[in-house]
């Protein structure tokens, strides 16, 4: 079994209104040092395989078909034993 961690973030070229709203809220409560903020998604899953190559292929499929909108989002993943 392998543990996968998937990170999905909005591409740098795409406006992130949710990130802007959170940044503004943080600044309004005294955290002026927050210069920019982007919102993303974090997912953990356990894969029923010990083959890293198979797991990477399946993760790529999952991300491109469902977990990330690749038009406006980037993704990356990490695998652990």
């Amino acid at each position: 079994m392998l543990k996968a961690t998937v990170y999905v973030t909005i591409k740098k070229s795409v406006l992130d209104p949710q990130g802007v709203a959170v940044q503004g809220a943080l600044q309004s409560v005294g955290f002026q040092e927050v210069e920019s903020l982007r919102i993303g998604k974090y997912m953990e899953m356990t894969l029923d395989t010990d083959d890293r190559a198979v797991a990477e292929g399946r993760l790529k499929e999952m991300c491109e078909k469902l977990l990330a909108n690749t038009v406006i989002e980037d993704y990356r993943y990490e695998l652990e034993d």
Side-chain angles (χ1 to χ4, degrees), residues 7 16-17 21 23 26 33 37 49 61-62 81:
Y7 304 89
D16 182 2
Q23 175 189 352
L26 284 168
E33 66 272 20
L37 189 141
T49 182
E61 276 186 80
M62 289 180 216
D81 292 322

Side-chain angles (χ1 to χ4, degrees), residues 2-69:
L2 293 171
K3 178 184 172 187
T5 306
V6 180
Y7 304 89
V8 178
T9 54
I10 294 181
K11 291 183 178 185
K12 299 237 185 258
S13 61
V14 176
L15 179 64
D16 182 2
Q18 188 178 13
V20 170
V22 173
Q23 175 189 352
L26 284 168
Q27 289 177 343
S28 73
V29 295
F31 297 102
Q32 300 301 321
E33 66 272 20
V34 180
E35 189 173 302
S36 67
L37 189 141
R38 310 279 292 173
I39 298 290
K41 297 181 273 189
Y42 169 84
M43 292 158 264
E44 289 182 356
M45 64 181 84
T46 303
L47 304 173
D48 188 16
T49 182
D50 290 321
D51 186 325
R52 293 182 78 81
V54 168
E56 287 186 13
R58 297 298 282 168
L59 278 169
K60 185 175 179 184
E61 276 186 80
M62 289 180 216
C63 289
E64 293 183 1
K65 287 186 177 182
L66 181 68
L67 301 179
N69 176 348

